Amino acid sequence: MSATKSKITIGHVFKTIVWPRRKLLAVGLLLIVISRVAGLALPWASKYLVDEVIAKKNIPLLYNLLGGVIAAIVIQAVTSFLLTKLLSVEAQHLISVLRVRVQKQILRLPVRFFDNNKSGALVSRIMTDVEGVRNLVGTGLVQLVGGLLSAVICLVLLIRISPLMTLYVLVPVAVFGFISLKAFNKIRPIFRERGKLNAEVTGRLTETLNGVRVIKGFNAEAQEIKTFEAGVERLFLNVKQSLTTTSLVTSSATFLLGLASVGIMGIGGYMNIQGSMSPGDFLAFTLYLGFMIAPIVQMSNIGSQLTEAFAGLDRTEEIMNMEPEEDSTKRVKTISHIQGDIVFNNVSFAYEEGKPVLKNISFTAPSGSVTALVGTSGSGKTTIAGLAATFLNPDNGLITVDGIDLSTVSLNSYRSQLGVVLQDDFLFEGTIRENILFPRPGASAEELNRAVHAAHVHEFTDRFELGLDTVIGERGVKLSGGQRQRIAIARAILADPRILILDEATSNLDTESESFIQDSLRSLMKGRTTFVIAHRLSTIRQADQILVIEGGEIAERGSHDELIAKKGRYFELYTYQARI
């Protein structure tokens, strides 16, 4: 799995985000040009107000000027409304599209990626990192271009009034532009780091809320508060650093443009006294100067927003460039109906290089058979099941299904015929009905009822006021461990898979419930290739083959009676549990 480490380029953003929306942005640019030109009516009218209306007491011209300024104000209001309606809405739409795209990409990544990343951090990557594009497609980019255009128009008008004063103004403006450019180059990695820190803090907070019972059970609230405070402090220091940089830009703008204003007062006042400039021209120059400086200062703020947008897109691009688990160039084979013959041939696997978890595992699981995996914790049982489920890919060796290399089979065609009951029996927030229907939302009421009874879910739902429509809370927190596991088994029964993986499927059941579930599981496993991981060895006596996994290798294999007769490792485990 690889990801690009380089920054996302302006050209890439222009090609993928800006150019496809060029027509909309062109309309937005036209609107902002109209708005900015209309805004120039006020300084233009001020010259005539002083030199023509007040000096010459020209009342009719006063009415004309007022009418023109009111019309300009209306135009500004209308164009501002249309600009927000067009571009801001499109920006939010793009954010929605990008969130869906990133979420889709993340779900396509291998299980190993999720093992190495916090769910809360991934939520931040999906929801927060893409928000900056609103400054690219929304009013930000258009205002940047519009502000530049306004500044150029005002500059021309300023030169027409007084080239000398304009030249004096341009010196501090140029210095301000240089400072801003340097600041934005420095600020981009700060924003990028902020996204990472925000993801870490969000991830830890999500873990804290999910594990609140463990935290309270160990009286560890103070410890978690301290951990969260440390993360928030790092985030604060990052924000502080960016604020320091942006405040430098703002302060330099205040200082440099303030100097320009003082100079204009001096030069303009002197020219008025000398009679080389009329009071109206001086007033117009002052107002035009404000109209030129305002978008320049605004552009510095927008520049900061665009820098933040690029930093978020950098992180988004990392996700989008990661290799998905479904390699379309390699997984080209589709199996419409799986028979279920699975063969492991010298399979090795390691989560970390140099630390093998499985070493040259070889066995055959014929169609319709039950293969039980037993052994101590960490021996590699769950890893074998993960390989059979295509959650993991072998580092060496070959896994075949119906004689076809599993690494070449389309994941969609394979997993559509796969059922799993995992050790953590994960349930989604919602109702019991919704959780059981999860693999087949369109299943009939009869099929649902059959699965409910087969897994003995009705034994406890019949006692609930809302029955199957009972809301179970996040991760099924309102249910007992045994109840959650029965729902997970019912879900697998409804899926009607060809290959079934049961990872400690009865670990959370009491003895009476387990006897019911074992009957259901025997019915479920009939005719399906099944892998069973169980610490309770009494539950796997009827398995077609039992593999004893020790240190990532198959220490023993055979049926229950055969392994008991050998009096080896399986015999030790079985008799030890029998004594307990």
Side-chain angles (χ1 to χ4, degrees):
M1 184 172 63
S2 64
T4 180
K5 296 294 182 183
S6 59
K7 291 181 180 179
I8 190 170
T9 64
I10 294 177
H12 178 75
V13 170
F14 183 82
K15 180 180 178 181
T16 58
I17 294 178
V18 176
W19 184 249
R21 293 162 182 82
R22 58 190 180 278
K23 293 181 179 178
L24 191 65
L25 289 172
V27 172
L29 185 58
L30 176 62
L31 289 172
I32 203 164
V33 168
I34 294 172
S35 177
R36 293 299 169 85
V37 171
L40 296 178
L42 182 60
W44 173 82
S46 65
K47 168 182 167 53
Y48 292 95
L49 178 65
V50 173
D51 291 343
E52 301 294 332
V53 174
I54 297 175
K56 300 178 181 179
K57 298 181 174 54
N58 190 340
I59 299 300
L61 181 58
L62 174 62
Y63 293 147
N64 291 335
L65 286 177
L66 292 176
V69 171
I70 290 173
I73 292 172
V74 171
I75 290 172
Q76 279 187 291
V78 172
T79 53
S80 176
F81 170 77
L82 293 176
L83 196 64
T84 301
K85 184 173 178 61
L86 285 175
L87 296 186
S88 296
V89 170
E90 175 59 23
Q92 292 302 321
H93 175 253
L94 178 58
I95 289 172
S96 301
V97 170
L98 287 178
R99 280 175 177 160
V100 171
R101 192 178 299 170
V102 175
Q103 188 254 13
K104 180 180 178 181
Q105 168 69 359
I106 286 178
L107 288 182
R108 293 170 61 210
L109 296 176
V111 171
R112 192 181 297 190
F113 169 81
F114 297 92
D115 293 338
N116 296 326
N117 289 275
K118 295 178 181 179
S119 58
L122 295 178
V123 169
S124 177
R125 301 292 290 266
I126 295 170
M127 299 301 294
T128 305
D129 286 352
V130 300
E131 284 190 349
V133 299
R134 69 178 180 273
N135 296 315
L136 291 171
V137 176
T139 55
L141 184 60
V142 169
Q143 284 178 344
L144 184 67
V145 177
L148 182 62
L149 183 63
S150 296
V152 171
I153 294 173
C154 288
L155 178 61
V156 172
L157 294 172
L158 290 173
I159 293 172
R160 288 187 61 186
I161 295 173
S162 175
L164 177 62
M165 289 199 300
T166 304
L167 179 62
Y168 178 83
V169 168
L170 287 180
V171 174
V173 168
V175 174
F176 170 70
F178 176 78
I179 293 174
S180 298
L181 187 62
K182 290 294 183 182
F184 296 147
N185 287 334
K186 181 181 179 181
I187 228 171
R188 182 168 177 180
I190 296 174
F191 280 133
R192 181 177 173 80
E193 180 67 16
R194 182 183 303 176
K196 180 181 177 182
L197 290 173
N198 189 60
E200 289 178 358
V201 173
T202 304
R204 182 66 185 194
L205 180 60
T206 304
E207 282 187 335
T208 300
L209 297 177
N210 286 335
V212 68
R213 284 169 175 76
V214 175
I215 292 169
K216 289 183 177 296
F218 287 98
N219 193 35
E221 290 95 334
Q223 176 182 321
E224 279 304 303
I225 291 171
K226 186 177 180 180
T227 301
F228 184 69
E229 282 180 344
V232 171
E233 177 68 14
R234 293 198 309 274
L235 191 58
F236 161 70
L237 292 176
N238 177 276
V239 174
K240 179 182 175 182
Q241 191 177 5
S242 66
L243 287 175
T244 302
T245 306
T246 52
S247 65
L248 175 63
V249 176
T250 306
S251 299
S252 64
T254 303
F255 177 72
L256 292 169
L257 300 178
L259 284 180
S261 300
V262 171
I264 294 306
M265 288 176 64
I267 298 173
Y270 180 79
M271 293 177 70
N272 265 266
I273 293 172
Q274 293 294 318
S276 57
M277 176 183 286
S278 70
D281 280 335
F282 178 69
L283 179 59
F285 187 95
T286 305
L287 293 175
Y288 280 132
L289 180 61
F291 274 77
M292 184 184 80
I293 290 176
I296 291 175
V297 175
Q298 186 184 39
M299 280 189 284
S300 69
N301 295 328
I302 295 171
S304 177
Q305 294 170 3
L306 294 180
T307 303
E308 186 176 5
F310 273 93
L313 289 174
D314 280 342
R315 288 167 49 78
T316 299
E317 193 70 6
E318 280 185 0
I319 292 288
M320 299 307 295
N321 284 341
M322 289 180 178
E323 297 174 7
E325 61 176 345
E326 178 77 274
D327 187 346
S328 58
T329 61
K330 189 175 180 181
R331 291 189 176 274
V332 294
K333 297 179 181 178
T334 300
I335 305 178
S336 58
H337 181 75
I338 293 176
Q339 295 299 321
D341 289 309
I342 294 181
V343 177
F344 277 58
N345 186 10
N346 290 320
V347 171
S348 298
F349 179 83
Y351 291 99
E352 298 179 32
E353 190 173 350
K355 298 180 181 179
V357 177
L358 299 180
K359 309 167 189 173
N360 301 317
I361 296 290
S362 295
F363 68 89
T364 298
S367 175
S369 67
V370 176
T371 299
L373 305 171
V374 303
T376 56
S377 296
S379 60
K381 306 183 300 297
T382 300
T383 302
I384 292 175
L387 289 165
T390 64
F391 294 158
L392 305 169
N393 295 315
D395 296 329
N396 295 295
L398 181 68
I399 303 175
T400 62
V401 55
D402 298 342
I404 302 172
D405 182 356
L406 189 55
S407 66
T408 66
V409 176
S410 161
L411 291 177
N412 184 56
S413 70
Y414 182 76
R415 290 180 182 169
S416 64
Q417 303 176 69
L418 173 72
V420 292
V421 180
L422 301 176
Q423 190 171 358
D424 62 357
D425 46 61
F426 186 90
L427 299 180
F428 296 92
E429 184 176 10
T431 65
I432 296 173
R433 182 190 306 276
E434 289 168 344
N435 273 277
I436 297 176
L437 287 172
F438 182 76
R440 291 177 59 200
S444 66
E446 182 182 349
E447 291 171 322
L448 172 64
N449 191 54
R450 193 182 306 131
V452 166
H453 281 77
H456 297 273
V457 172
H458 65 288
E459 288 185 356
F460 61 88
T461 56
D462 286 349
R463 299 195 301 269
F464 295 160
E465 182 180 352
L466 298 178
L468 291 178
D469 293 314
T470 300
V471 176
I472 61 176
E474 188 176 18
R475 299 176 68 93
V477 70
K478 296 180 181 179
L479 301 176
S480 69
Q483 290 170 337
R484 289 197 299 269
Q485 209 145 29
R486 286 195 236 180
I487 292 173
I489 292 171
R491 184 167 60 190
I493 292 172
L494 186 67
D496 191 23
R498 295 297 308 151
I499 296 171
L500 183 64
I501 296 175
L502 306 174
D503 187 352
E504 297 292 339
T506 60
S507 62
N508 290 329
L509 299 178
D510 54 60
T511 304
E512 182 180 4
S513 296
E514 184 181 348
S515 65
F516 287 129
I517 294 299
Q518 287 296 338
D519 290 338
S520 300
L521 290 178
R522 275 192 285 273
S523 174
L524 171 64
M525 293 186 291
K526 188 174 182 181
R528 296 178 172 86
T529 305
T530 306
F531 293 88
V532 180
I533 300 174
H535 285 301
R536 293 188 194 178
L537 302 187
S538 59
T539 63
I540 57 170
R541 296 183 59 172
Q542 304 304 317
D544 295 292
Q545 66 173 335
I546 299 172
L547 305 180
V548 182
I549 312 299
E550 290 292 335
E553 299 178 300
I554 299 178
E556 292 179 335
R557 70 180 77 202
S559 66
H560 171 78
D561 293 336
E562 291 170 346
L563 293 176
I564 289 294
K566 283 184 180 180
K567 295 192 175 182
R569 181 59 176 155
Y570 180 80
F571 176 81
E572 292 176 2
L573 293 171
Y574 188 81
T575 52
Y576 175 76
Q577 284 194 6
R579 287 198 302 270
I580 296 176

